Amino acid sequence: MQAPPKISVLLPVYKVEPYIEECLDSLLSQTSTDFEIIAVDDSSPDRSGEMTSRILEQQDRIPWKLIKNLENKGLAETRKIAAMAARGEYVLCVDSDDHIHHDTIRRVIKEAETHNADVVVFAAENITSDGKVNYRVETGDAVISGVQAVEKILDLSLQAYCCNKLVRRSIFLGVEHPTGLIYEDICVSVQTLGKSKIVRLMPDTLYSYMYRETGISTRFNPNIVDLFAIIDRVEKITAPMPIPNYRRLLFRLKYIYAYRTIAFQAAMKAPTYGLAKPILLSVSEKLRIAHLLGMYSDHRPKLSIVMAMLKIHPWLFYCFIRRFGNR
């Protein structure tokens, strides 16, 4: 029987017909072959699943499996389905409209083995449709504990994406994967890092996250309020962890990141104020004067003032963000 590969690439496939070929090309052209591809067609309404099967069938270099969900399960559940079918010691999540560096597999295996790491976190970049870099997701260069990595997420100095993290499969399968919620990566990453002993942060840019005008992160999505529930789960997960200055760091994630994200995204992306209003009200109702003062004391006076506008009246905040939000 063939030995299991070191890594299983988890590849959810849903409505990515224009992009799946480029994604698979980046996987099939890897310098290392010590991995498998576990693709899951999440009941995609287009030809994404058929294209995935056809492209993978045309090669015999990389072992693969294609699973078909009879009904749409969503990203979190689909990744878990893929992980349950995987054989690798580690899993690597790849979104099927993105692509990875041609040497990613070899380099993350090397780092995992060198440091006996439970998680390897690598840098990434957000790329526009014309190939320009929007921004970079930096990681630093260190070997730290899992709790220290969670501390960095709370501190907003480490991003909680799943796609730039190689994770030991036993750990990935042992955490909750929130079903039906967006921003699930935060919950999954905090859990996997919290259960890890050794985390390797490597500065190499090995993942390209493609900016799509039609992507879930670029269009108005009223489900952005799911972030409230996600942060509540993160708070329950992290509360028992021995994190110095925990309350201050949780405040930073909860209010400076989550509340700001919900309000700003609603104001900037909602087509009308009528659509943005209930979301803005939901944030305003949760905001307290103490939170505004906390933003100010965290050296974010401008954010404190802008969020005070939201507390005064959502229309005032909406108009200000529409006028100045992209500056």
Side-chain angles (χ1 to χ4, degrees):
M1 184 176 180
Q2 188 178 15
K6 193 74 173 179
I7 294 176
S8 296
V9 172
L10 311 184
L11 187 70
V13 176
Y14 184 75
K15 293 180 70 173
V16 288
E17 189 172 328
Y19 318 117
I20 186 63
E21 185 171 1
E22 183 179 6
C23 174
L24 288 171
D25 283 348
S26 76
L27 293 173
L28 297 175
S29 63
Q30 288 293 302
T31 56
S32 170
T33 59
D34 197 4
F35 73 103
E36 64 178 358
I37 298 171
I38 308 296
V40 182
D41 178 356
D42 193 21
S43 196
S44 182
D46 63 5
R47 296 175 53 250
S48 299
E50 299 169 30
M51 293 178 65
T52 300
S53 178
R54 175 176 55 79
I55 292 168
L56 292 174
E57 283 176 347
Q58 290 175 350
Q59 60 84 45
D60 56 10
R61 183 170 177 261
I62 306 299
W64 60 279
K65 180 182 294 185
L66 177 63
I67 300 168
K68 170 77 173 180
N69 288 343
L70 297 181
E71 59 183 23
N72 183 258
K73 299 285 189 179
L75 183 59
E77 185 66 21
T78 298
R79 282 176 178 163
K80 187 172 183 179
I81 289 169
M84 291 174 67
R87 299 181 301 134
E89 182 182 352
Y90 293 89
V91 296
L92 177 65
C93 295
V94 174
D95 286 347
S96 49
D97 58 346
D98 296 336
H99 57 263
I100 64 175
H101 187 279
H102 74 280
D103 204 24
T104 296
I105 297 295
R106 185 189 68 81
R107 290 163 78 173
V108 295
I109 288 175
K110 180 181 177 182
E111 295 296 324
E113 292 180 339
T114 298
H115 302 283
N116 190 29
D118 297 304
V119 177
V120 177
V121 187
F122 43 90
E125 56 189 1
N126 181 273
I127 307 293
T128 65
S129 56
D130 56 1
K132 296 180 180 177
V133 177
N134 257 341
Y135 60 84
R136 297 188 185 279
V137 178
E138 306 291 352
T139 60
D141 186 354
V143 178
I144 60 178
S145 71
V147 171
Q148 287 174 318
V150 173
E151 181 180 348
K152 284 181 172 290
I153 287 179
L154 297 180
D155 191 48
L156 307 182
S157 59
L158 185 67
Q159 297 288 337
Y161 301 124
C162 284
C163 288
N164 73 328
K165 296 172 180 66
L166 179 76
V167 181
R168 203 177 291 278
R169 182 165 61 95
S170 59
I171 294 175
F172 190 83
L173 283 171
V175 305
E176 177 197 11
H177 295 261
T179 301
L181 298 174
I182 64 173
Y183 286 92
E184 70 282 343
D185 277 17
I186 303 172
C187 192
V188 173
S189 291
V190 165
Q191 290 178 89
T192 54
L193 291 169
K195 292 177 177 292
S196 300
K197 293 181 179 179
I198 300 173
V199 176
R200 167 63 172 141
L201 306 180
M202 57 184 299
D204 310 64
T205 302
L206 301 179
Y207 192 96
S208 294
Y209 173 71
M210 308 306 293
Y211 179 87
R212 312 289 186 190
E213 291 292 340
T214 57
I216 192 169
S217 62
T218 59
R219 65 178 187 268
F220 172 64
N221 188 345
N223 292 331
I224 194 171
V225 293
D226 288 353
L227 193 47
F228 286 133
I230 291 292
I231 296 300
D232 285 345
R233 294 189 188 197
V234 168
E235 184 171 1
K236 291 179 181 177
I237 294 163
T238 56
M241 296 183 186
I243 297 175
N245 302 311
Y246 171 71
R247 299 311 306 180
R248 179 176 63 83
L249 296 182
L250 179 67
F251 175 88
R252 188 170 290 174
L253 180 73
K254 190 170 185 176
Y255 297 99
I256 292 172
Y257 166 71
Y259 279 41
R260 177 191 182 281
T261 296
I262 295 169
F264 274 61
Q265 293 295 314
M268 287 191 293
K269 295 179 180 178
T272 65
Y273 174 66
L275 290 172
K277 183 179 178 180
I279 298 174
L280 297 177
L281 282 172
S282 70
V283 179
S284 178
E285 290 168 358
K286 293 176 183 291
L287 270 179
R288 301 290 181 266
I289 299 299
H291 301 150
L292 300 175
L293 294 174
M295 294 174 191
Y296 189 89
S297 64
D298 200 54
H299 309 293
R300 289 170 169 85
K302 292 181 181 178
L303 178 62
S304 177
I305 293 169
V306 173
M307 296 301 277
M309 294 181 187
L310 176 60
K311 189 64 181 172
I312 293 168
H313 200 287
W315 172 249
L316 178 64
F317 175 86
Y318 177 82
C319 292
F320 182 87
I321 296 300
R322 299 289 280 204
R323 180 70 176 83
F324 301 106
N326 289 322
R327 293 189 176 183

